[in-house]
């Protein structure tokens, strides 16, 4: 199979929306026609084998995840996906692998109306780089610099489960099979929170997607917004799905271990966002409209720094600060 056959066979389809995407794969450039009054939101993410995914992952899940992590960035900006490019380095042109990869990738693309408009293919160690392009009305993008003291901090879905699966893969943790299966799904098949991001336009004061861990990513919002935050550990603990199915003893798995998973885990692709407390009911309604669960876990403070407190309001020690508690 030649390079051009490969592109034609697996990655060429007519754009579904010829008005907004007048020219797709096949020319020197693709053409986009954003609606008047809209800004383009653009984000790239690269996935490298061994670094961002394990060689054991099924290619359809890899295709899904490669696009999901990019759509998650659009979601965090409140942007509606429009199109994406795919730059792919492959060790070989394996038809079964390509077919499955394209299936996972394009199923997610179709679910979000996001057209594959171009890219590049080269021989090399497996490496996937996607650039996603979305649209957001001018002035309404959700950003990292809008959090204000008094705002409440919210998190969508579940966080920490993806990291739990990684620790099991690494042989550092063993959990019941059903807990692992669910966590593995979270790691390999994240669902970008696009609908929630759209519903939070004009409502959230700031937003970020959780790719490197809740504490670290919230830290970017705090730095961007020039403020601090306090997280209530009992509320944050509720965000990890595994705690509902698995009740290990403190000796087998300590509360510090749970804190590491939830606060420093990463790879969750949930949204962490802030909103004024008087708009909490609107946030709840937006979450229902987006069919995405959300939970309040803390509050933005004027004092810089991130604090985690227990149910009595006492500080929880900083073991969660290190990115790799297990390492
Ligand atoms: P160029 O010679 O202009 O760099 P290429 O020969 O690399 O273009 O690619 C030919 C066409 O196929 C271009 O429109 C390019 O955007 C598209 N393309 C290349 N690789 C991919 C891919 N992995 N997915 C989708 N389109 C691709
Ligand atoms: Mg060319």
């Amino acid at each position: 199979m030649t390079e051009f056959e490969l592109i034609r066979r697996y990655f060429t389809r007519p754009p579904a929306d010829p008005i907004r995407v007048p020219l797709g794969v096949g020319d020197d450039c693709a053409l986009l026609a954003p609606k008047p009054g809209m800004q383009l939101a653009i984000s790239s993410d690269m996935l490298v084998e061994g670094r961002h995914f394990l060689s054991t992952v099924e290619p359809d899940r890899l295709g899904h995840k490669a696009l999901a992590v990019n759509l998650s960035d659009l979601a965090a900006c409140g942007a509606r996906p429009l199109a994406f490019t795919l730059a792919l380095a492959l060790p070989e042109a394996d038809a079964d692998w390509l077919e499955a990869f394209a299936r996972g990738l394009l199923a997610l693309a179709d679910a979000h109306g996001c057209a594959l408009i171009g890219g590049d293919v080269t021989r090399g160690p497996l490496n996937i780089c996607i650039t996603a392009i979305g649209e957001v009305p001018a002035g309404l993008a959700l950003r990292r610099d809008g959090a204000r003291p008094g705002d409440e901090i919210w998190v969508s879905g579940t966080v920490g489960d993806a990291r739990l699966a990684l620790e099991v893969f690494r042989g550092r943790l063993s959990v019941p099979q059903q807990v692992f299966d669910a966590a593995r799904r979270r790691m390999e098949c994240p669902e970008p929170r696009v609908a929630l991001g759209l519903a939070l336009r004009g409502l959230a004061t700031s937003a970020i997607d959780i790719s490197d861990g809740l504490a670290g990513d919230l830290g970017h919002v705090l730095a961007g917004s020039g403020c601090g935050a306090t997280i209530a550990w009992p509320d944050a603990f509720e965000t990890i799905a595994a705690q509902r199915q698995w009740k290990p003893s403190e000796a087998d798995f300590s509360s510090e271990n749970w804190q590491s998973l939830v606060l420093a885990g990463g790879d969750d692709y949930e949204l962490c966002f802030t909103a004024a407390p008087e708009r909490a009911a609107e946030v709840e309604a937006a979450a229902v409209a987006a069919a995405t669960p959300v939970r309040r876990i803390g509050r933005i403070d004027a004092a810089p720094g991130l604090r985690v407190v227990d149910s009595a309001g006492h500080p929880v020690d900083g073991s969660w600060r290190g990115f790799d508690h297990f390492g």
Side-chain angles (χ1 to χ4, degrees):
M1 169 169 28
T2 69
E3 181 186 330
F4 298 103
E5 279 167 5
L6 188 159
I7 295 166
R8 189 176 39 77
R9 197 180 300 174
Y10 301 105
F11 301 118
T12 307
R13 296 184 311 170
D17 183 346
I19 309 245
R20 289 196 305 166
V21 185
L23 186 61
V25 168
D27 214 308
D28 293 308
C29 290
L31 295 174
L32 293 182
K35 283 196 195 128
M38 302 297 262
Q39 291 178 332
L40 293 180
I42 301 168
S43 176
S44 295
D45 265 309
M46 184 148 66
L47 267 72
V48 176
E49 181 167 358
R51 179 91 211 146
H52 302 100
F53 60 92
L54 305 172
S55 56
T56 47
V57 67
E58 294 294 331
D60 57 337
R61 288 193 170 192
L62 184 59
H64 172 102
K65 183 165 177 177
L67 182 58
V69 304
N70 281 278
L71 296 187
S72 176
D73 284 318
L74 296 185
C77 283
R80 182 184 298 284
L82 178 57
F84 70 106
T85 62
L86 168 68
L88 200 55
L90 294 171
E92 59 186 335
D94 175 331
D96 291 341
W97 191 95
L98 278 159
E99 193 277 319
F101 176 83
R103 181 166 18 90
L105 177 87
L106 297 175
L108 183 66
D110 289 346
H112 290 279
C114 190
L116 175 55
I117 55 167
D120 200 17
V121 180
T122 174
R123 191 184 287 272
L126 184 56
N127 188 330
I128 305 155
C129 183
I130 288 181
T131 297
I133 302 157
E135 287 186 318
V136 58
L140 280 191
L142 306 175
R143 299 164 43 146
R144 299 179 179 186
D145 59 2
R148 294 293 171 260
D151 284 355
E152 291 173 320
I153 302 167
W154 298 77
V155 169
S156 68
T158 66
V159 298
D161 299 284
R163 181 56 183 267
L164 183 144
L166 180 61
E167 294 305 319
V168 175
F169 270 115
R170 287 174 167 173
R172 295 178 187 162
L173 186 62
S174 96
V175 300
Q177 187 66 36
Q178 79 180 110
V179 175
F180 174 63
D181 290 343
R184 179 180 189 173
R185 222 190 134 65
R186 291 288 300 142
M187 178 177 122
E188 294 181 348
C189 263
E191 281 306 326
R193 299 304 195 179
V194 172
L196 181 63
L198 296 177
L200 290 174
R201 283 175 181 171
L203 180 55
T205 52
S206 73
I208 191 167
D209 69 319
I210 304 173
S211 53
D212 296 333
L214 175 57
D217 288 320
L218 176 59
H220 297 310
V221 171
L222 302 181
S225 302
C227 44
T230 303
I231 289 178
W233 170 245
D235 296 325
F237 179 58
E238 296 294 321
T239 62
I240 181 163
Q243 51 83 21
R244 277 168 242 152
Q245 309 158 290
W246 182 46
K247 309 280 177 205
S249 70
E250 178 76 16
D252 285 338
F253 201 75
S254 68
S255 52
E256 265 185 44
N257 291 144
W258 286 112
Q259 285 154 18
S260 293
L261 288 179
V262 172
L263 299 170
D267 236 15
D268 299 304
Y269 304 100
E270 294 293 348
L271 298 186
C272 175
F273 58 95
T274 56
E278 60 273 19
R279 304 199 69 182
E282 288 170 83
V283 171
E284 303 270 14
V288 169
T292 308
V294 296
R295 186 178 295 277
R296 248 174 301 192
I297 60 157
R299 192 178 282 269
I300 297 292
D301 306 322
L306 178 61
R307 292 155 288 279
V308 179
V309 297
D310 64 17
S311 46
H314 298 133
V316 167
D317 97 45
S319 67
W320 45 269
R321 283 179 196 279
F323 170 71
D324 196 346
H325 176 78
F326 298 91

